C-alpha cells in the first residue's frame, strides 16, 4: 500500500510538472506544426505514397518523433533532481527502487503521450482528417512506445552528472533513431540499400511508427509488419528496458 | 536510559581515506546530540551511514533498535533527515512537497492534512504554503525542510549542518524550532555542525570529531571545564618571544599564536594578568591589550587537536561550495 502511494505521488509529480511548464506546451504545438505544414506541404508535391499524400503519410511519423524526443528528454529530470537535491529525498524514502523507477517512468510516459496527443490536435487544426476513435486506439500504442524509450532516457541520465552532457543524447540517439524509423520516408522504397533496411529493423521506433500508421491510416497503409508483430516487438523492448532501468536506479546513490 | 542510536566500530573508507574510523557512540532517547568538527571530519559520512544512504565498510549501528545494514527499511521509517544541501522540488508548492513526503513515508491519508497544517504552523509558513518553492528564500526553504522531516513522526531527526549558509537572524529562528521540537515532541535529534556556538547553544551532549574519530564527548559545560580555567588573550608587538617567555618564565605550556594575539589557557587567569605584563615589560615587549574570557568550544577543540577548527583551508572549501550551492538555488 505504501508502495502504491509512493508510485502515485511520483507519477503525479511528473504530470503536474508537465502542465506547469507552459513554455514547453506552447513549443510542443509549434514544432509539429512546422513539420506538418512546411515540411509536409513541401514534400506533398514530390509525389504520392500509395494512395496517401505525403502530409498524411508524415503525420504518424511526427507522432513517433514527438514520442521519441519527449521520452528521451525526460531523462533530464533525473539529472535535474540529482543536481537540485530532490533525488535524495526520494532515494532515502522507505519505498523500493522498483517503485521509484516505475513511478517516474510511467509519469514521464504519460507526459510523452500527452505530447503525442498534442500532435493529433495540431493535425486536426491543419485539416488532416482524424477520427477521435482513432486517437483512443492509438493512445495505448503511444504509451507502449514511450515506456521503453523513457526507460532508456532515465537509464542514461542515472549515470550522468551534468545537464550539459545530456545533450549528446540528441545527436547520438535521438536523430539516428528518428531517421531510421521510417518516420520521414518509406523504408520500402525501391532502391533503399540493404544496410539502411537492416539498421531500421534493429530500431524499436520503426515498429512503433509502423503500428501507429496501421492504426491511423488504416487500409491506405501497407504495413511493414502485422500489427500484432509490431506490438510484440514493442512489448519485448519495453520489458528489457524497464529491467535495465530498474537496475540502473537500484545502483544510483 | 534508553539508547536510540548505538554504533559498533562503525567504519567507512573511501579508497585509501578512512572517513569514519571505528566509531563507538550511543545517543540517548530525547537528547539533542551534536557532532562537531571541521569540514571533512567525517560528520556527514557518519550521518549518511546512520540514515542508510551509505553502507559502512565495516562495523554497524542500530537506530531505533534496527540494524542499519540489515533492516534499512525500518530504519528509514524511524528517521527524518534534513540534508546539508537543499532537497526540495522548487517547481512544486511547499504544501505539495509536504504531501509528497507524507505519501512516500506512508502517512495515513486521513491524517495527512492535519499533520501538514501542524508542521506548517510550527515553522510559520502557513501563508506561503501554496506558493511555488522557487519563490522562497533560503531560510524559508530550510524551515520547510525541517517541517518535512517531522511529518511522519520520526523517532530520530538528523540535521546535517542545519544552519549552513543562513543569515544570523534565520539561524536564531531555526535554533528556536529545534529547541521547541525537543520540548514538545518525543524525538531525539542528532545534528552536525562546524559552528561552535551552534553546538554550544543547542546540544545536550557533543561529540567532537576529527579525522573520523571522536576525540571528546560530553556536555558542553563539562567539555569546557576540562580546560580548567580562563583564556587570556594578549595583543603585543612581539608575539613569538612573548609566547616563548610565557612558557619559560610562567610554566604555562599551551601558549599559541592566533589571529595576531597570544592565547593561553590557565587557572586563576585574573591573578596571572599582572605577572604576564611584568614578564613582557622586563623583556622590552610592549603589551597593547590584555583580556580574559571563559573558554569556549573553540578552545576545547584546539586543546584536543592542536588546531583551530578553521585552520585547514582545503577542508573548508567543501563547506563553502555547499553555501554557494544553497545561495544559487
Amino acid at each position: 500500500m505504501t508502495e502504491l502511494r509512493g508510485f502515485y505521488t511520483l507519477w503525479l509529480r511528473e504530470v503536474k510538472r508537465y502542465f506547469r511548464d507552459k513554455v514547453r506546451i506552447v513549443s510542443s504545438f509549434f514544432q509539429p506544426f512546422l513539420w506538418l505544414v512546411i515540411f509536409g506541404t513541401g514534400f506533398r508535391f514530390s509525389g504520392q505514397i500509395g494512395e496517401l499524400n505525403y502530409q498524411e503519410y508524415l503525420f504518424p511519423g511526427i507522432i513517433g518523433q514527438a514520442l521519441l524526443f519527449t521520452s528521451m528528454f525526460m531523462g533530464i529530470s533525473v539529472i535535474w533532481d540529482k543536481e537540485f537535491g530532490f533525488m535524495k529525498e526520494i532515494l532515502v524514502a522507505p519505498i523500493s527502487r522498483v517503485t521509484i523507477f516505475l513511478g517516474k517512468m510511467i509519469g514521464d510516459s504519460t507526459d510523452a503521450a500527452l505530447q503525442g496527443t498534442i500532435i493529433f490536435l495540431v493535425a486536426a487544426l491543419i485539416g488532416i482528417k482524424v477520427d477521435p476513435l482513432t486517437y483512443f486506439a492509438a493512445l495505448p500504442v503511444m504509451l507502449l512506445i514511450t515506456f521503453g524509450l523513457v526507460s532508456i532516457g532515465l537509464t542514461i541520465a542515472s549515470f550522468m552528472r551534468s545537464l550539459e552532457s545530456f545533450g549528446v543524447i540528441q545527436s547520438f540517439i535521438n536523430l539516428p533513431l528518428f531517421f531510421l524509423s521510417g518516420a520521414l520516408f518509406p523504408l520500402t522504397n525501391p532502391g533503399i540499400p540493404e544496410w539502411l533496411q537492416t539498421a531500421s529493423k534493429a530500431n524499436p521506433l520503426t515498429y512503433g511508427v509502423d503500428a501507429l500508421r496501421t492504426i491511423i491510416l488504416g487500409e491506405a497503409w501497407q504495413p511493414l509488419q502485422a500489427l500484432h508483430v509490431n506490438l510484440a516487438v514493442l512489448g519485448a523492448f519495453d520489458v528489457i528496458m524497464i529491467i535495465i532501468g530498474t537496475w540502473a536506479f537500484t545502483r544510483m546513490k | 536510559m534508553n539508547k536510540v542510536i548505538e554504533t559498533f566500530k562503525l567504519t567507512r573508507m573511501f579508497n585509501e581515506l578512512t572517513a569514519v574510523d571505528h566509531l563507538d557512540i550511543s545517543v540517548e532517547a530525547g537528547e539533542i546530540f551534536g557532532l562537531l568538527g571541521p569540514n571533512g571530519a567525517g560528520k556527514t559520512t557518519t550521518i549518511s551511514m546512520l540514515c542508510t544512504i551509505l553502507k559502512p565498510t565495516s562495523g554497524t549501528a542500530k537506530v531505533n533498535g534496527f540494524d542499519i545494514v540489515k533492516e534499512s527499511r525500518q530504519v528509514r521509517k524511524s528517521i527524518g533527515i534534513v540534508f546539508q544541501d537543499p532537497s526540495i522540488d522548487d517547481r512544486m508548492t511547499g504544501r505539495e512537497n509536504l504531501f509528497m513526503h507524507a505519501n512516500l513515508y506512508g502517512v495515513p491519508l486521513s491524517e495527512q492534512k492535519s499533520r501538514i497544517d501542524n508542521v506548517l504552523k510550527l515553522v510559520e509558513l502557513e501563508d506561503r504554503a501554496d506558493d511555488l518553492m522557487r519563490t522562497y528564500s533560503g531560510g524559508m526553504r530550510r524551515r520547510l525542510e525541517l517541517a518535512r522531516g517531522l511529518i511522519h513522526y520520526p523517532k530520530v531527526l538528523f540535521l546535517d549542518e542545519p544552519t549552513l549558509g543562513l543569515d544570523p537572524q534565520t539561524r536564531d529562528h531555526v535554533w528556536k524550532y529545534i529547541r521547541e521540537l525537543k520540548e514538545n515532541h518525543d524525538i531525539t535529534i542528532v545534528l552536525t555542525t562546524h559552528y561552535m556556538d551552534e553546538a554550544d547553544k543547542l546540544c545536550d551532549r557533543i561529540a567532537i570529531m576529527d579525522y573520523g574519530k571522536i576525540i571528546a564527548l560530553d556536555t558542553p559545560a563539562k567539555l569546557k571545564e576540562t580546560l580548567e580555567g580562563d583564556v587570556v588573550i594578549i595583543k603585543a608587538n612581539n608575539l613569538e618571544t612573548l609566547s616563548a617567555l610565557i612558557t619559560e618564565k610562567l610554566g604555562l605550556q599551551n601558549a599559541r599564536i592566533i589571529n595576531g594575539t597570544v592565547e593561553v589557557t590557565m587557572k586563576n587567569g585574573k591573578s596571572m594578568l599582572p605577572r604576564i605584563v611584568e614578564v613582557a615589560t622586563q623583556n622590552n615587549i610592549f603589551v597593547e591589550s590584555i583580556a580574559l574570557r571563559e573558554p569556549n568550544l573553540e578552545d576545547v577543540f584546539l586543546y584536543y587537536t592542536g588546531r583551530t577548527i578553521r585552520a585547514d583551508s582545503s577542508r573548508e572549501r567543501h563547506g563553502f561550495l555547499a553555501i554557494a550551492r544553497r545561495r544559487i538555488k
Side-chain angles (χ1 to χ4, degrees):
Chain A
M1 194 54 198
T2 313
E3 299 288 330
L4 203 64
R5 285 239 301 282
F7 169 83
Y8 168 73
T9 203
L10 292 172
W11 173 85
L12 186 67
R13 169 172 181 253
E14 299 300 325
V15 177
K16 272 188 176 170
R17 284 175 64 116
Y18 177 82
F19 280 108
R20 278 180 196 170
D21 199 346
K22 300 281 185 300
V23 178
R24 197 164 107 208
I25 294 181
V26 171
S27 90
S28 66
F29 265 98
F30 191 59
Q31 233 196 25
F33 189 77
L34 291 181
W35 277 101
L36 289 174
V37 172
I38 301 178
F39 198 82
T41 310
F43 271 85
R44 196 168 163 174
F45 300 101
S46 304
Q48 293 274 104
I49 293 156
E51 306 161 29
L52 298 162
N53 73 45
Y54 184 71
Q55 211 169 30
E56 290 167 325
Y57 170 82
L58 183 63
F59 163 50
I62 294 303
I63 296 175
Q65 183 220 30
L67 296 178
L68 169 69
F69 284 16
T70 318
S71 297
M72 288 295 177
F73 181 78
M74 287 300 174
I76 231 166
S77 70
V78 172
I79 302 177
W80 196 269
D81 284 348
K82 282 201 276 190
E83 188 113 343
F84 286 79
F86 190 71
M87 191 52 93
K88 261 187 297 192
E89 155 80 355
I90 302 174
L91 292 184
V92 299
I95 55 171
S96 76
R97 292 293 170 92
V98 180
T99 304
I100 294 174
F101 178 77
L102 289 179
K104 211 163 169 60
M105 190 275 282
I106 294 180
D108 290 344
S109 292
T110 309
D111 295 352
L114 285 167
Q115 202 86 3
T117 306
I118 287 175
I119 315 249
F120 274 93
L121 296 176
V122 172
L125 211 68
I126 62 171
I128 298 175
K129 266 177 262 145
V130 210
D131 185 349
L133 281 178
T134 311
Y135 166 72
F136 288 106
L139 188 59
V141 179
M142 294 203 289
L143 283 170
L144 202 61
I145 294 170
T146 57
F147 289 158
L149 294 174
V150 168
S151 299
I152 296 180
L154 295 181
T155 304
I156 295 172
S158 78
F159 288 96
M160 284 185 169
R161 274 160 190 264
S162 72
L163 290 169
E164 293 79 18
S165 50
F166 199 73
V168 299
I169 284 191
Q170 175 71 12
S171 6
F172 285 95
I173 298 184
N174 279 0
L175 292 180
L177 288 188
F178 174 42
F179 289 145
L180 286 171
S181 68
L184 296 177
F185 55 86
L187 293 162
T188 47
N189 267 355
I192 289 212
E194 191 81 5
W195 65 263
L196 210 159
Q197 299 220 11
T198 316
S200 72
K201 273 188 190 136
N203 176 4
L205 193 61
T206 308
Y207 302 88
V209 171
D210 194 40
L212 286 173
R213 285 213 171 99
T214 308
I215 290 167
I216 294 169
L217 305 175
E219 297 289 295
W221 170 245
Q222 280 283 306
L224 303 170
Q225 313 281 349
L227 187 59
H228 68 270
V229 175
N230 282 326
L231 297 183
V233 172
L234 288 171
F237 166 67
D238 288 352
V239 169
I240 294 167
M241 285 307 148
I242 288 170
I243 291 171
I244 294 175
T246 309
W247 164 80
F249 265 53
T250 313
R251 56 166 288 290
M252 190 160 54
K253 296 221 170 73
Chain B
M1 275 266 249
N2 188 8
K3 283 177 183 145
V4 174
I5 298 176
E6 220 176 337
T7 70
F8 308 94
K9 303 214 177 318
L10 190 65
T11 304
R12 173 71 201 199
M13 318 257 302
F14 294 107
N15 300 322
E16 295 298 295
L17 181 86
T18 310
V20 175
D21 196 354
H22 295 82
L23 205 67
D24 282 309
I25 51 172
S26 56
V27 177
E28 317 267 320
E31 72 175 337
I32 301 185
F33 186 88
L35 281 171
L36 175 72
N39 291 303
K43 296 169 298 184
T44 300
T45 309
T46 305
I47 284 215
S48 300
M49 285 191 285
L50 294 177
C51 297
T52 76
I53 300 166
L54 261 185
K55 281 217 166 67
T57 311
S58 67
T60 187
K62 281 195 167 171
V63 175
N64 196 29
F66 300 111
D67 188 283
I68 57 164
V69 182
K70 293 184 201 119
E71 297 163 298
S72 60
R73 185 77 65 97
Q74 268 77 14
V75 171
R76 286 175 182 209
K77 281 196 172 170
S78 327
I79 61 174
I81 315 165
V82 177
F83 296 102
Q84 185 168 336
D85 297 327
S87 64
I88 41 109
D89 183 349
D90 67 351
R91 306 294 167 107
M92 302 286 251
T93 68
R95 198 186 299 278
E96 283 171 334
N97 267 284
L98 298 178
F99 268 113
M100 285 195 287
H101 185 89
N103 274 322
L104 289 173
Y105 282 79
V107 175
L109 283 175
S110 54
E111 288 183 34
Q112 288 190 357
K113 205 189 157 303
S114 64
R115 286 202 202 179
I116 286 169
D117 287 341
N118 283 341
V119 292
L120 281 170
K121 205 172 289 164
L122 177 74
V123 298
E124 296 168 47
L125 281 172
E126 306 114 296
D127 302 345
R128 296 295 305 275
D130 295 309
D131 295 342
L132 288 184
M133 285 195 68
R134 56 198 306 192
T135 65
Y136 284 28
S137 69
M140 290 164 67
R141 289 172 189 213
R142 205 69 182 142
R143 271 148 57 196
L144 193 104
E145 285 177 326
L146 264 177
R148 187 177 66 180
L150 297 171
I151 296 176
H152 57 287
Y153 292 167
K155 288 275 173 246
V156 189
L157 183 62
F158 289 97
L159 307 171
D160 195 1
E161 300 279 359
T163 62
L164 187 70
L166 298 182
D167 59 79
Q169 200 189 348
T170 315
R171 286 179 74 191
D172 281 342
H173 245 77
V174 172
W175 288 350
K176 195 183 109 210
Y177 297 128
I178 295 174
R179 267 191 232 107
E180 276 175 12
L181 278 180
K182 189 210 157 184
E183 273 154 35
N184 303 329
H185 295 72
D186 172 27
I187 195 168
T188 308
I189 297 171
V190 177
L191 65 90
T192 74
T193 183
H194 68 283
Y195 295 125
M196 298 290 173
D197 52 341
E198 181 160 291
D200 202 354
K201 282 192 184 132
L202 276 179
C203 298
D204 298 313
R205 285 195 307 148
I206 296 170
I208 298 184
M209 213 174 168
D210 197 30
Y211 291 111
K213 287 186 172 144
I214 302 293
I215 50 178
L217 199 166
D218 218 321
T219 63
K222 285 210 176 120
L223 283 172
K224 285 183 280 190
E225 274 170 31
T226 54
L227 290 187
E228 294 188 324
D230 311 300
V231 180
V232 175
I233 306 139
I234 312 133
K235 211 168 176 189
N237 62 349
N238 192 341
L239 300 174
E240 276 84 16
T241 320
L242 181 62
S243 145
L245 280 168
I246 288 172
T247 309
E248 192 186 318
K249 305 270 181 186
L250 304 174
L252 299 166
Q253 294 303 323
N254 56 5
R256 65 248 163 199
I257 298 165
I258 293 162
N259 300 330
T261 61
V262 173
E263 280 194 21
V264 56
T265 313
M266 65 192 75
K267 285 181 198 167
N268 297 323
K270 267 185 196 154
S271 57
M272 289 295 274
L273 291 183
R275 298 209 49 204
I276 294 171
V277 179
E278 191 186 311
V279 169
T281 321
Q282 278 166 6
N283 292 279
N284 296 324
I285 294 169
F286 173 65
V287 176
E288 275 176 55
S289 70
I290 187 159
L292 187 78
R293 64 167 168 81
E294 306 242 294
N296 56 30
L297 287 176
E298 185 93 40
D299 303 310
V300 177
F301 185 80
L302 188 75
Y303 174 80
Y304 281 107
T305 65
R307 290 178 290 119
T308 61
I309 200 162
R310 296 171 196 288
D312 200 337
S313 63
S314 66
R315 288 167 155 220
E316 189 75 346
R317 259 183 52 225
H318 176 76
F320 282 129
L321 281 177
I323 294 172
R325 279 200 296 276
R326 181 169 288 283
R327 293 229 169 107
I328 289 164
K329 283 147 206 172

